[in-house]
């Protein structure tokens, strides 16, 4: 049974986590070109990957792409020189996105806009979502800044999920794992506060940022997908003495849940974790 048949029978739209990579305009009048698209289709009941798709995309202006990338796996002019144009892969991208819930990190301010621009340029209607889950906004609201800034790389490092590749398919899979981990922590906080507090020592609260005379003491790198400035000053007290103790307790309880509830522990976790994915 394919993904579309399964979705229609269950009556619930699937979630598609997607990400695009683009050039970085470095002079006046230069535009964004989509250089890579990657997506995974996820069953909302089980959070399992049903389908995946990724493709490099050759821009209309190759000179807009850097000859060298500052990232180890970065996209260069040579990487996309022989890739298909956007219009050649637009049917597949449309079928992946249209009529599903769109999910991704900072997609409202960046990826959604670039997708609409790319479809407009080839003269065809853009795909339409039935809902949008922007993990930047969701996690800022529900999880706070306990992990530091709200970049995907920082959140992945906090949960020891590896280094962000800045390639579309790898990044969307990391995005899903970050959400799962955040949901687990929120579930534990709501369900086991006395147990968690009993394993913590030292100060009852820590904060993720320090300020002096109204100025931040830490420096933050900026990029095209960095959180908006309005989010930078957000602070939230964290009721744990150290991240290590929380990670150990999280792992123990996750293992207990897995043994107790069979093959779908995360389905239950997400159901009771402050409606994280609403």
């Amino acid at each position: 049974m394919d993904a579309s048949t399964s979705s229609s029978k269950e009556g619930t739209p699937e979630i598609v986590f997607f990400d695009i990579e683009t050039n970085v305009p470095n002079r006046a009048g230069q535009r964004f070109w989509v250089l890579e698209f990657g997506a995974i289709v996820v069953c909302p009941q089980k959070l399992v990957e049903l389908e995946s798709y990724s493709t490099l995309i050759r821009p209309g202006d190759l000179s807009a792409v850097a000859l060298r990338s500052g990232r180890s796996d970065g996209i260069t002019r040579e990487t996309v020189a022989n890739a298909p144009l956007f219009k050649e892969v637009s049917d597949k991208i449309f079928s992946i996105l249209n009529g599903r819930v769109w999910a991704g990190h900072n997609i409202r301010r960046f990826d959604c806009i670039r997708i609409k621009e790319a479809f407009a340029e080839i003269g065809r209607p853009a795909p339409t979502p039935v809902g949008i889950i922007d993990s930047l906004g969701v996690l800022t609201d529900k999880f706070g800044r306990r992990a530091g800034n709200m970049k995907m790389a920082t959140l992945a490092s906090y949960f020891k999920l590896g280094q962000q590749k800045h390639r579309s398919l790898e990044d969307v899979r990391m995005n899903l794992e970050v959400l799962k981990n955040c949901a687990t922590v929120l579930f534990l906080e709501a369900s086991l506060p006395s147990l968690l507090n009993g394993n913590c020592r030292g100060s009852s609260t820590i904060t993720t940022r320090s300020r002096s005379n109204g100025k931040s003491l830490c420096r933050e790198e900026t990029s095209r997908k960095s959180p908006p400035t309005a989010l930078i000053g957000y602070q939230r007290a964290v009721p744990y003495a150290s991240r290590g103790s929380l990670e150990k307790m999280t792992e123990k309880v996750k293992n207990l849940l897995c043994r107790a509830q069979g093959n779908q522990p995360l389905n239950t976790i997400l159901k009771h974790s402050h409606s994280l994915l609403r």
Side-chain angles (χ1 to χ4, degrees):
M1 182 180 295
D2 63 24
S4 59
T5 302
S6 174
S7 176
S8 62
K9 284 192 174 183
E10 293 178 0
T12 303
E14 294 155 339
I15 302 172
V16 54
F17 283 80
F18 76 98
D19 177 72
I20 63 171
E21 295 297 322
T22 73
N23 64 309
V24 179
N26 54 18
R27 64 176 182 269
Q30 193 175 55
R31 53 163 288 183
F32 284 102
W33 291 94
V34 177
L35 304 180
E36 187 177 42
F37 174 89
I40 58 173
V41 179
V42 174
C43 170
Q45 290 83 9
K46 301 180 181 180
L47 295 183
V48 294
E49 184 177 321
L50 302 174
E51 179 184 355
S52 67
Y53 174 72
S54 67
T55 181
L56 289 166
I57 298 171
R58 185 170 81 253
D61 179 11
L62 268 177
S63 68
V65 187
L67 290 171
R68 295 183 180 181
S69 173
R71 299 165 177 163
S72 58
D73 297 321
I75 297 173
T76 64
R77 190 177 303 176
E78 182 180 4
T79 306
V80 298
N82 297 313
L85 295 168
F86 185 83
K87 65 180 179 181
E88 297 176 289
V89 295
S90 60
D91 284 343
K92 180 63 175 179
I93 293 175
F94 186 94
S95 69
I96 286 279
L97 293 176
N98 194 52
R100 288 182 165 127
V101 176
W102 293 4
H105 202 67
N106 201 25
I107 59 173
R108 287 187 183 273
R109 295 177 60 246
F110 191 81
D111 304 74
C112 294
I113 296 172
R114 304 284 89 82
I115 286 292
K116 290 179 180 178
E117 290 174 346
F119 274 92
E121 183 181 28
I122 62 173
R124 61 174 296 180
T128 304
V130 297
I132 296 178
I133 301 170
D134 192 323
S135 56
L136 172 61
V138 171
L139 297 183
T140 299
D141 179 46
K142 302 292 185 181
F143 198 68
R145 297 182 61 83
R146 68 185 76 185
N149 65 39
M150 300 307 294
K151 293 181 183 179
M152 182 56 58
T154 306
L155 291 162
S157 177
Y158 179 79
F159 288 112
K160 299 183 178 179
L161 296 174
Q163 189 173 21
Q164 185 182 9
K165 298 293 185 181
H166 294 286
R167 296 300 299 268
S168 294
L169 195 58
E170 289 87 347
D171 283 4
V172 293
R173 286 175 172 150
M174 176 173 280
N175 196 173
L176 177 58
E177 292 306 310
V178 164
L179 279 172
K180 287 180 180 180
N181 278 271
C182 289
T184 302
V185 172
L186 293 172
F187 168 79
L188 294 176
E189 290 178 355
S191 304
L192 304 168
S194 59
L195 181 59
L196 290 175
N197 290 336
N199 281 273
C200 293
R201 295 183 175 85
S203 174
S204 59
T205 62
I206 60 172
T207 57
T208 56
R209 293 172 64 83
S210 297
R211 292 180 175 271
S212 177
N213 297 326
K215 296 183 179 180
S216 173
L217 296 181
C218 60
R219 298 175 59 189
E220 295 187 5
E221 175 188 2
T222 59
S223 72
R224 63 172 179 84
K225 299 196 74 175
S226 298
T229 304
L231 296 176
I232 298 302
Y234 184 92
Q235 296 189 44
R236 178 170 174 174
V238 184
Y240 306 104
S242 67
R243 190 179 77 188
S245 60
L246 174 59
E247 289 173 345
K248 292 178 182 178
M249 181 55 62
T250 300
E251 190 63 32
K252 289 179 181 179
V253 178
K254 283 172 66 177
N255 291 335
L256 289 173
L257 288 169
C258 289
R259 290 196 294 270
Q261 301 180 40
N263 294 325
Q264 299 184 36
L266 283 167
N267 192 37
T268 302
I269 289 172
L270 286 166
K271 182 179 179 182
H272 300 288
S273 63
H274 300 310
S275 303
L276 177 61
L277 294 183
R278 288 183 181 176

